[in-house]
Amino acid sequence: MTAAVSSRCSRATASRHTGVRVVAGVLGLAAVVPGLGLFAFEPAAAAAPAAS
């Protein structure tokens, strides 16, 4: 049995920040994909500390 709720929170609406979330996701993938590629093909280089 469901309650008859008529508040604004009961409706599924699109977020105003959809574009920001898409950009954050793309930038996250842009950072992860090269890291995984480096780890897959040169694990020793990926594990070594960065030279200063």
Side-chain angles (χ1 to χ4, degrees), residues 1 4 7 11-12 18 20-21 23 25 30 35 39-40 46 48-51:
M1 187 165 143
S7 69
R11 286 182 247 134
T18 303
V20 174
R21 294 176 69 185
V23 170
F39 186 71

Side-chain angles (χ1 to χ4, degrees), residues 24-37:
V26 169
L27 290 176
L29 284 175
V32 169
V33 170
L36 288 176

